[in-house]
Amino acid sequence: LLGTSTRAPLRRSTARVGDLVAVTGSLGRSRAGLALLDRAGPDLPVAATARADVVAAHLRPCPRVREGQWLAAAGGVSAMIDLSGGLATDVGHLAGESAVGARVHVDQVPVATTARAAAAALDEDALVWATSVGEDYELLIACAPHALAGLAEGLRRATGTSLTAVGEIVDAGAGVCFVDGHGRGVRVAPGFEHFVTGHGGA
């Protein structure tokens, strides 16, 4: 890929301890669409609107270009990465390259309602789709805590896209961990890794 940047890029290597971790939009739609394409039958109880939403998310993903440009120009964002590999994988990439740790609260992850509908019909776990599978093409950012509210409101006004805090950047020694609503550690499988064979991915 060749090109010229018109401003200093936001990197995945510049998150700071104390930053909040936030994601744009909602997660799990692409994997839900793939599941319906793979396994859906004519009598599967998924509303047509939900089916259309998740299938479109898988077949015709829309990268958050406008959102990325707005966030990069807004100030208060210290690092950013896209969620092509999934939340579990890409928060690890951001933390690793920034030499920090991260704590993600799974109860705060914005799972798409349409993904939940598909998961219920297929007896699957939508939270697994949202945390451990890629192809959502949302954005993961690290930002100053005091900047989050303004970023969320500004992004919504500018693009119609939500921004949801899901965790915080911590010391590198703590590693990357996922916790439930009571602060207890939970196991989250890694998502997609490019050039690695032997995993499910999306």
Side-chain angles (χ1 to χ4, degrees):
L1 177 65
L2 300 176
T4 302
S5 176
T6 58
R7 62 166 61 94
L10 267 177
R11 303 179 184 277
R12 63 178 68 180
S13 57
T14 48
R16 300 181 292 252
V17 173
D19 282 347
L20 294 181
V21 176
V23 297
T24 60
S26 58
L27 307 181
R29 294 166 63 236
S30 179
R31 182 61 180 87
L34 177 60
L36 289 184
L37 290 169
D38 279 348
R39 296 167 50 186
D43 58 346
L44 198 67
V46 179
T49 52
R51 183 192 304 266
D53 177 67
V54 298
V55 169
H58 182 70
L59 295 179
R60 297 180 295 278
C62 183
R64 298 295 198 181
V65 176
R66 286 181 60 214
E67 289 82 354
Q69 292 172 331
W70 189 92
L71 287 164
V77 179
S78 57
M80 181 160 48
I81 187 173
D82 77 296
L83 290 179
S84 58
L87 178 61
T89 291
D90 289 321
V91 73
H93 287 159
L94 186 145
E97 295 201 24
S98 295
V100 295
R103 182 186 299 110
V104 177
H105 304 268
V106 295
D107 60 313
Q108 297 176 15
V109 173
V111 182
T113 55
T114 49
R116 291 189 187 278
L122 296 169
D123 195 26
E124 296 279 359
D125 187 341
L127 182 60
V128 171
W129 291 350
T131 57
S132 299
V133 183
E135 306 292 333
D136 279 316
Y137 291 101
E138 296 292 347
L139 300 174
L140 172 79
I141 70 166
C143 69
H146 64 81
L148 179 68
L151 289 169
E153 178 62 16
L155 185 67
R156 184 191 64 78
R157 288 180 179 274
T159 67
T161 301
S162 61
L163 183 68
T164 304
V166 297
E168 53 272 342
I169 299 296
V170 296
D171 288 331
V176 175
C177 65
F178 289 75
V179 298
D180 64 16
H182 301 286
R184 297 175 299 212
V186 296
R187 183 182 180 278
V188 172
F192 185 79
E193 287 280 9
H194 297 283
F195 311 119
V196 175
T197 59
H199 58 69

